[in-house]
RNA sequence: UGCCCGAUAGUAUAAGGGUAGUACAACUGAUUUUGGUUCAGUAUGUCGUGGUUCGAAUCCAUGUCGGGCAACCA
């Protein structure tokens, strides 16, 4: 059976264009503004733009849309490049809208000469007023009557720095009565005496998005300029510029941006979280930034798979976070090394086990025999998870309880004989016996137990810091929730366990490794780790059928 | 009440006039030395109303609902 995947609407357009001969190959672009870090929403756009070019044998430019020097920085340029590379994509050309400032200036002069642009001295308030409303046409002011020569001179003077910020703008002359507000003589150049991260102080006038983006596309001969829905009304202006400038006819297509439950997808809000200290930087593992997710332990292939599964369409959407979690688990399950780590220890003493130790083999990954085995020390005193013992077991609980037997992973079956408590009645120790014939891999005991626990030998345990993350927001649809988005921050999104007990094999592992702490979740080494101190981030929990059972009651 | 975009299970996304399918989520069960994985199965859907047609999610009309548009942001 063929399992050809159906095409999304953009792929359909491209295939038609290729088939009809409109284009012989395609060129796309990813056009970030370097004013913040990339997030998972950008990943969707990156996968789309680069993925299309890859699929149809075209190319993709990385173009920084750097037309607003007051918000843009080189730091962001570097992080964006890092993130795209990490996601697994290679751009054909690294470009900047600021490369085209001279050309763009020329385009503006062309418009002036054609009588299609004029310098306006009005304040932004006046311009807004004259714009009218969606139902009331706007009006032109006296500046619109300036001669071509006057406009040319004034625009040159603007460039020469003769005017203060905000004192003049260049406007395209289109239609003050257009039902599309963007066509009511839009501002295309404004004065900003600001230092630009690439052009320095060469310019004090900068083009607006609408007078830079489409032209940049045209200059680069972008065949399919793909952007998000909010740019739909801009398309008329995009085309107007192309037609009146007579430049390469790039075409704009719009798709619905990604929204994810329990997260925000706005650079402005993300920046706020960073600046106000709600998180520890752009790469905080709780952030929906690419760098945050990377630090958290997400793999690039999981993110690509996610972007593939969510599809591309024009309707607004809010994707279940669980789909992202599914994609990471699916990937990590295949590659993560299994290790045993106890988060909240309860001591188990095996009363019939001799002094000393033995080393037991345990598979690194049951899904991948090629991953091999490691040796784990076993001894008389162990730690198990406190939640894996119940003095009076709940129904369907098949972990350790008085008189009950469980398997210790890769080791023996033990039976709980006695519970030791302190003066306050807190359980301090559980005393068990083990069944020597039940050794893992050589079990002749004939005993079947339902539960298998992870454990660590007390004498051999190494301590590690473990950071557990929960969702950053408490509501599903953060962007549309009542009140300020910060009202919905989950104060318990980070739990630090300073002293978890880990099997010693973890000491030898390296930063690139992914782990599954058995029965606990997927983890990866954090950059805060030092030779003397291991720090792990929980990428995602394991699916927890027991927790579900407990919740049902 | 101007213009533009959209509407298919809980969430996404297919079906392009001919059996409404897939994934995630949910629920059952089997397997399991991870209550993981894997496997098998169940339930839930075409926004309303007219029309065209032998036949409509699909075409037409109309209504409803949701979103966007009046930054010297992108």
């Amino acid at each position: 059976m063929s399992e050809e995947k159906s095409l999304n609407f953009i792929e359909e357009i491209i295939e038609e264009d290729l088939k009809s001969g409109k284009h012989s190959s395609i060129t796309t672009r990813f056009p970030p503004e370097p004013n913040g870090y990339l997030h998972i929403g950008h990943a969707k756009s990156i996968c789309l733009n680069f993925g299309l070019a890859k699929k149809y044998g075209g190319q993709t430019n990385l173009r920084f849309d750097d037309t607003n020097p007051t918000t843009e920085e080189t730091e962001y340029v570097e992080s964006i490049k890092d993130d795209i590379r990490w996601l697994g994509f290679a751009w054909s050309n690294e470009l900047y809208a600021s490369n085209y400032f001279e050309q763009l200036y020329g385009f503006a002069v062309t418009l002036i000469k054609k009588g299609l642009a004029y310098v306006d001295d009005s304040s932004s308030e006046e311009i807004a007023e004259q714009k009218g409303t969606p139902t009331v046409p706007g009006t032109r002011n006296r500046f619109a009557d300036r001669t071509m020569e006057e406009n040319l001179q004034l625009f040159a003077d603007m460039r020469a720095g003769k005017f203060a910020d905000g004192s003049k703008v260049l406007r395209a002359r289109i239609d003050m009565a257009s039902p599309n507000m963007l066509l009511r003589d839009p501002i295309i150049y404004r004065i900003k005496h600001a230092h630009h991260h690439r052009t320095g102080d060469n310019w004090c006038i900068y083009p607006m998005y609408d007078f830079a983006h489409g032209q940049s596309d045209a200059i680069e001969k972008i065949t399919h300029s793909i952007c998000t829905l909010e740019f739909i009304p801009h398309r008329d202006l995009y085309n107007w510029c192309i037609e009146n400038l007579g430049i390469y006819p790039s075409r704009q297509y719009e798709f619905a941006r990604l929204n994810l439950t329990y997260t925000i997808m706005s650079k402005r809000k993300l920046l706020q979280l960073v600046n106000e200290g709600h998180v520890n930087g752009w790469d905080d593992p709780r952030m929906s930034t690419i760098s945050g997710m990377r630090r958290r332990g997400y793999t690039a292939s999981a993110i690509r798979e996610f972007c593939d599964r969510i599809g591309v369409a024009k309707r607004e959407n809010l994707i279940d976070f669980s789909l992202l979690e599914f994609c990471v688990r699916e990937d990590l399950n295949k590659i993560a090394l299994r290790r045993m780590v106890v988060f909240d220890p309860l001591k188990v003493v095996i009363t019939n086990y001799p002094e000393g130790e033995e080393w037991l083999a345990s598979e690194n990954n049951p899904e991948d025999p090629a991953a091999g085995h490691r040796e784990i020390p076993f001894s008389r005193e162990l730690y198990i998870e406190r939640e894996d013992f119940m003095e009076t077991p709940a129904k369907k609980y098949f972990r350790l309880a008085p008189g009950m037997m469980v398997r210790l992973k890769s080791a023996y079956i033990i039976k709980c004989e006695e519970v030791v408590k302190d003066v306050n009645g807190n359980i301090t120790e559980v005393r068990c016996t083990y069944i020597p014939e039940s050794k893992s891999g050589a079990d002749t005991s004939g005993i079947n137990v339902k539960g298998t626990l992870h454990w660590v030998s007390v004498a051999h345990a190494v301590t590690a810091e473990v950071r557990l993350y929960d969702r950053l927001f408490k509501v599903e649809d953060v962007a549309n929730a009542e009140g300020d988005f910060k009202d919905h921050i989950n104060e318990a999104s980070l739990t630090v366990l300073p002293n978890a007990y880990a099997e010693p094999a973890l000491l030898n592992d390296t930063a690139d490794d992914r782990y599954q702490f058995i029965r606990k979740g997927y983890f990866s080494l954090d950059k805060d780790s030092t030779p003397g101190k291991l720090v792990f981030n929980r990428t995602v929990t394991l699916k927890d059928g027991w927790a579900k059972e407990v919740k049902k009651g």
Side-chain angles (χ1 to χ4, degrees), chain A residues 203-218:
Chain A
W203 293 86
C204 62
I205 57 172
Y206 293 92
M208 297 286 288
Y209 166 85
D210 286 304
F211 202 70
H213 200 98
Q215 286 87 330
S216 300
D217 284 343

Side-chain angles (χ1 to χ4, degrees), chain A residues 387-403:
Chain A
E387 64 175 16
D388 285 340
F389 176 82
M390 273 184 105
E391 194 172 13
T392 48
K395 56 236 168 281
K396 291 190 192 168
Y397 186 84
F398 46 84
R399 303 178 187 177
L400 202 59

Side-chain angles (χ1 to χ4, degrees), chain A residues 16-85:
Chain A
E16 272 167 38
D17 290 347
L18 256 17
K19 197 176 158 194
S20 72
K22 180 176 176 185
H23 298 296
S24 55
S25 70
I26 66 162
T27 305
T28 59
R29 104 267 90 118
F30 176 64
E33 182 188 12
N35 67 345
Y37 280 59
L38 260 24
H39 53 64
I40 182 72
H42 294 109
K44 176 179 182 181
S45 174
I46 291 168
C47 289
L48 215 210
N49 278 295
F50 284 89
L52 251 15
K54 192 175 277 183
K55 178 171 181 179
Y56 295 105
Q59 52 176 300
T60 304
N61 289 341
L62 168 60
R63 182 177 71 235
F64 290 94
D65 228 328
D66 55 349
T67 56
N68 186 0
T70 54
T71 59
E72 296 156 5
E73 294 174 28
T74 303
E75 177 201 344
Y76 297 131
V77 170
E78 293 309 317
S79 74
I80 288 167
K81 286 159 65 177
D82 268 359
D83 288 345
I84 298 172
R85 275 190 292 250

Side-chain angles (χ1 to χ4, degrees), chain A residues 9 108 134 218 264 326 408:
Chain A
F9 77 100
I264 50 169
F326 169 83
L408 293 178

Side-chain angles (χ1 to χ4, degrees), chain A residues 160-279:
Chain A
K162 295 191 181 173
F163 308 116
D165 287 9
S167 61
K168 283 180 170 51
V169 292
L170 183 70
R171 289 227 253 172
R173 183 189 198 93
I174 308 180
D175 177 6
M176 289 304 286
S178 172
N180 182 344
M181 301 294 290
L182 285 161
L183 261 23
R184 319 243 274 218
D185 290 9
I187 294 169
I188 57 178
Y189 261 94
R190 78 283 216 194
I191 301 171
K192 270 181 194 278
H193 290 269
H195 187 83
H196 187 281
H197 69 106
R198 286 183 66 83
T199 60
D201 298 314
N202 293 160
W203 293 86
C204 62
I205 57 172
Y206 293 92
M208 297 286 288
Y209 166 85
D210 286 304
F211 202 70
H213 200 98
Q215 286 87 330
S216 300
D217 284 343
I219 290 167
E220 296 172 21
K221 293 195 163 51
I222 301 300
T223 54
H224 302 265
S225 179
I226 300 163
C227 61
T228 46
L229 257 27
E230 64 267 33
F231 291 97
I232 289 176
H234 293 251
R235 193 174 58 227
D236 288 341
L237 183 48
Y238 182 102
N239 291 338
W240 183 90
C241 289
I242 283 174
E243 282 159 29
N244 288 284
L245 258 13
I247 53 183
Y248 181 87
S250 298
R251 289 292 169 235
Q252 173 182 305
Y253 302 96
E254 312 86 9
F255 71 98
R257 69 182 324 140
L258 166 67
N259 294 294
L260 239 198
T261 55
Y262 302 106
T263 91
I264 50 169
M265 220 60 90
S266 145
K267 277 196 274 187
R268 202 195 91 244
K269 289 175 182 169
L270 254 11
L271 177 64
Q272 219 174 321
L273 291 178
V274 172
N275 286 344
E276 296 173 13
H278 295 102
V279 295

